[in-house]
Amino acid sequence: LEDNNITIKNKTIALDFGSYTHPEIFYSNKKYFISTTDTDTQKVYVFDSNAKLLPKFPVYGSSMIDIDNADKDTKLELAVKGEENSVLIYKMN
């Protein structure tokens, strides 16, 4: 991540101008996910390993995230800070 550009596998995506968290890489279900959060607009971006933004993203959130399977189904969940004293859980497809 440099300024408002994120590069994944030599593909550069221009994001809106903002203040972004350091990108994080997650590996789950034999897939890689790359995330960053714009703390100014409180938007969470998650990309696949081919630099494609996942469907229904960005979503609301105000912190770095965690991705894991938090329940008994096979779908992944994303946890992120919402308002001051709240945690949001999103189910990922």
Side-chain angles (χ1 to χ4, degrees):
L1 180 68
E2 187 173 332
D3 297 323
N4 68 312
N5 297 309
I6 187 166
T7 303
I8 302 167
K9 285 188 175 178
N10 296 319
K11 295 178 184 175
T12 300
I13 298 106
L15 302 170
D16 293 336
F17 286 101
S19 297
Y20 290 92
T21 59
H22 292 287
E24 294 181 278
I25 299 172
F26 298 92
Y27 181 75
S28 189
N29 292 348
K30 299 181 182 180
K31 295 180 182 178
Y32 285 96
F33 302 97
I34 299 89
S35 74
T36 187
T37 302
D38 182 348
T39 56
D40 289 341
T41 61
Q42 299 180 331
K43 291 181 181 179
V44 176
Y45 296 82
V46 179
F47 298 89
D48 67 13
S49 60
N50 294 314
K52 293 190 184 247
L53 186 64
L54 295 184
K56 301 181 182 177
F57 279 86
V59 296
Y60 174 77
S62 61
S63 68
M64 296 175 81
I65 68 165
D66 192 22
I67 295 175
D68 206 348
N69 188 356
D71 55 18
K72 294 183 181 190
D73 66 14
T74 58
K75 294 183 180 178
L76 297 173
E77 285 77 31
L78 178 151
V80 65
K81 180 181 174 185
E83 296 297 324
E84 187 62 33
N85 294 317
S86 68
V87 174
L88 303 173
I89 306 291
Y90 294 97
K91 186 167 294 282
M92 297 174 59
N93 292 335

